[in-house]
Amino acid sequence: MRIERVAMQARERDLLRAVGRASEVAPSRLAGILDWLGTASLATLLYLCALAVGVAAWLHATGRSGQAGPELAWILLAAPVLGIAWASARAGQGARALRDWRGRVFGPCWRDAEAGVVEEEHYEFLEAAYVRDGESDALIHLLRVDERRCLVVFDPENVRLAEHGADPRARQSHPRRRAVLRRAPQSRRVLALRFEGEALASQPGDALGWATPGWYWDGKLWDREWPQIAQR
């Protein structure tokens, strides 16, 4: 295995910049406005009740029960202002929380795009084993790098067949002896995987449930001794 840092391609930069951008329009602007109006209306009603009770108690204490004058106008003015202020503060807090969350989740991809470099990993595999995912029946390639590690690759076409309700077993694929994997350094996102050389032939088998790597291992090195993988 050999790793080189090379320049990022334009399509890879666009892909990384687009990560998480779709969440900016969800919820929609109309939904946000309706949520703000609902919050402002409810807050205005609560403030109106609270101010009315407070003014009534004050008038009673000063011997002016039933004689509300300018106080009524102040109540009708203050309640909407306080309701709008509360709704705006709540919306601003929610927007800041969303920006912070998006920065934590998608920030590494955006920083990778700005940095403009990728790690190009060059592999030469010793052998391969194929198993099927217990839930989706998608094909998983376990590509032996050395005695203690293998590269895990969920076959993308096989996965697409499973997602669209087709039979993943209808398609058989075999990776090749060598591969070049392009990975974003900070986010560790796989940008491209290209196989080269002769095919590594093997028949897919059914592993023992827990023995298969999870989806989060896709494009990563799995630390398992090869005899242990063969036994599973």
Side-chain angles (χ1 to χ4, degrees), residues 47-80 82:
Y47 278 119
L48 185 62
C49 293
L51 290 173
V53 170
V55 169
W58 181 74
L59 291 174
H60 179 74
T62 57
R64 296 175 52 204
S65 298
Q67 302 179 20
E71 292 86 359
L72 180 60
W74 281 109
I75 291 175
L76 296 177
L77 177 64
L82 291 173

Side-chain angles (χ1 to χ4, degrees), residues 112-157:
D112 279 327
E114 294 305 315
V117 296
V118 298
E119 290 182 352
E120 203 171 67
E121 303 173 2
H122 297 259
Y123 294 95
E124 184 159 357
F125 305 114
L126 302 176
E127 54 184 310
Y130 308 96
V131 294
R132 295 196 179 276
D133 179 60
E135 294 183 1
S136 66
D137 216 25
L139 195 62
I140 308 173
H141 304 294
L142 304 177
L143 308 172
R144 178 185 170 192
V145 175
D146 52 36
E147 287 298 327
R148 300 189 61 86
R149 296 178 302 170
C150 65
L151 181 69
V152 178
V153 177
F154 280 73
D155 187 285
E157 291 299 326

Side-chain angles (χ1 to χ4, degrees), residues 39-115:
T39 302
S41 300
L42 179 60
T44 297
L45 181 61
L46 293 176
Y47 278 119
L48 185 62
C49 293
L51 290 173
V53 170
V55 169
W58 181 74
L59 291 174
H60 179 74
T62 57
R64 296 175 52 204
S65 298
Q67 302 179 20
E71 292 86 359
L72 180 60
W74 281 109
I75 291 175
L76 296 177
L77 177 64
V81 170
L82 291 173
I84 290 172
W86 170 260
S88 299
R90 182 176 177 272
Q93 184 180 20
R96 286 191 298 272
L98 179 60
R99 284 196 300 270
D100 292 343
W101 175 82
R102 292 180 66 251
R104 290 192 302 271
V105 175
F106 306 118
C109 289
W110 301 339
R111 290 191 291 272
D112 279 327
E114 294 305 315

